[in-house]
Amino acid sequence: MKNMDIEADLVEFKVPVENNKTLFVWNILPKFSEAEIYNSVEEVFSNYGPLYSVRVCRNAAVAEPGYYAIVKYYSAAQASKAQVTTNGKGIFQESPLKVRLCTKQNATFQQRFTYLRSAKCQELANHYLGFNGWSSRIVTLKDISQTNEQEDKDPVLGTQTNNLKYGCIIELIFHNYGVCCRGVGVAEEPFENDTDPLARLMKKGQVQKLAKERAMSDAFQKVLFVVLGNGKVAVECRFDPDQIVPDEELGGLIQVNDISWSQFEQEREDDEILSELSFNVTDVQ
């Protein structure tokens, strides 16, 4: 009986910080510019799956002249396949490259919840499902500014300011899979009262856009792709049954879910920087 070797890989919509999703590529010759190396690395390694990021860096001063690259996948299985296939091959240069899975990242970073930006979420969904494989709709976009409270006063400028604050709920719909889920996003920006109406209108548009992007990102956190070895994709949505309420009753839900997005975004940026700094080129020379 023929062995059916169809493995399943899980793809989540979050910033990949795990060791088994990150490749370290070195022995890159200094004959190329950083831009040329970036384009070559991205072209080669994207053949094995969608990439979250590619970063090209110069070798440390104590090492030989040249470059190394850090390649991050969303999928551990695709990162592993890329490592096995490309290690020891020149690919875009005469001498062979060394490609290894990362082993130097701090495990504490992996425990932090890291939101994936809206644009990255859509890019990943389009890769696996195509542009027509999913859709989104705005359930509600509401002004939740606390206009009835006393306005704050800028301690430096002495001018009175209030905050423009919008909440948004977006629903993701995966038509071919019969599943859907919703996400909540809140955006808030300070705004001076004495500015002109056009400036206020532009600021209002910016805050609304940011709230929608955050709601989109939050919705995708509930989505899980199960990618089979034969290329087929299954979509699962995780949700809390208690959150299923009529659309007309969602106004209060936005305010209840007013979470600190700035904190999440700062943690995501810290994870990216610290995980890259955790590499030490001299350890692998």
Side-chain angles (χ1 to χ4, degrees):
M1 181 177 180
K2 187 176 181 179
N3 183 28
M4 298 295 292
D5 187 20
I6 300 180
E7 299 179 354
D9 188 29
L10 302 181
V11 176
E12 297 179 280
F13 289 79
K14 65 179 184 179
V15 175
V17 296
E18 298 89 344
N19 293 350
N20 60 0
K21 295 180 181 178
T22 305
L23 296 182
F24 185 39
V25 185
W26 75 100
N27 274 11
I28 302 176
L29 299 178
K31 61 184 293 186
F32 305 104
S33 68
E34 289 189 27
E36 290 173 329
I37 294 171
Y38 179 92
N39 292 334
S40 297
V41 170
E42 183 180 46
E43 180 180 358
V44 169
F45 287 92
S46 62
N47 290 326
Y48 302 93
L51 304 178
Y52 170 73
S53 67
V54 174
R55 186 175 180 86
V56 177
C57 308
R58 289 183 180 274
N59 287 348
V62 296
E64 295 181 0
Y67 296 88
Y68 66 95
I70 301 168
V71 181
K72 293 191 177 186
Y73 284 87
Y74 294 100
S75 161
Q78 291 167 355
S80 177
K81 182 178 180 180
Q83 188 275 324
V84 172
T85 306
T86 61
N87 182 44
K89 297 181 180 179
I91 304 177
F92 57 83
Q93 63 179 29
E94 296 85 357
S95 59
L97 298 171
K98 292 183 180 180
V99 184
R100 297 286 188 274
L101 286 171
C102 170
T103 59
K104 287 291 184 179
Q105 288 176 291
N106 192 323
T108 59
F109 300 146
Q110 301 177 22
Q111 301 173 4
R112 298 168 67 176
F113 190 80
T114 48
Y115 272 72
L116 193 63
R117 289 185 181 275
S118 172
K120 286 285 190 180
C121 290
Q122 296 177 63
E123 181 182 284
L124 189 58
N126 290 338
H127 174 84
Y128 284 106
L129 304 181
F131 293 95
N132 297 323
W134 67 282
S135 64
S136 65
R137 74 178 183 96
I138 297 176
V139 178
T140 183
L141 180 62
K142 183 178 181 182
D143 184 351
I144 55 176
S145 305
Q146 298 176 341
T147 54
N148 58 337
E149 293 188 358
Q150 185 176 4
E151 296 171 347
D152 298 326
K153 192 169 185 178
D154 191 304
V156 178
L157 301 177
T159 57
Q160 287 188 325
T161 62
N162 60 12
N163 288 342
L164 283 177
K165 189 174 184 180
Y166 275 83
C168 179
I169 296 179
I170 280 183
E171 183 174 58
L172 299 179
I173 307 166
F174 301 91
H175 304 278
N176 296 333
Y177 302 90
V179 294
C180 61
C181 61
R182 292 179 175 182
V184 178
V186 175
E188 182 176 13
E189 292 287 343
F191 189 79
E192 296 183 6
N193 294 331
D194 57 357
T195 53
D196 61 81
L198 179 59
R200 183 180 181 85
L201 183 62
M202 293 179 63
K203 176 66 72 172
K204 178 179 176 181
Q206 293 172 358
V207 177
Q208 289 178 338
K209 179 181 178 182
L210 186 56
K212 288 185 285 187
E213 290 176 349
R214 288 174 173 175
M216 177 80 74
S217 176
D218 183 59
F220 270 111
Q221 307 314 306
K222 303 175 179 68
V223 178
L224 179 68
F225 285 175
V226 181
V227 184
L228 303 179
N230 58 11
K232 293 185 177 180
V233 180
V235 179
E236 296 183 5
C237 289
R238 297 163 289 189
F239 63 93
D240 184 353
D242 294 335
Q243 292 185 356
I244 303 178
V245 295
D247 290 355
E248 59 271 14
E249 298 180 12
L250 291 173
L253 180 62
I254 295 177
Q255 293 173 299
V256 171
N257 286 275
D258 186 0
I259 57 179
S260 176
W261 276 88
S262 59
Q263 179 182 358
F264 277 127
E265 291 183 345
Q266 184 60 53
E267 288 184 355
R268 178 188 56 77
E269 293 173 359
D270 291 345
D271 284 346
E272 293 179 2
I273 295 172
L274 291 173
S275 64
E276 290 171 0
L277 289 177
S278 65
F279 289 104
N280 189 333
V281 182
T282 58
D283 289 344
V284 292
Q285 293 293 330

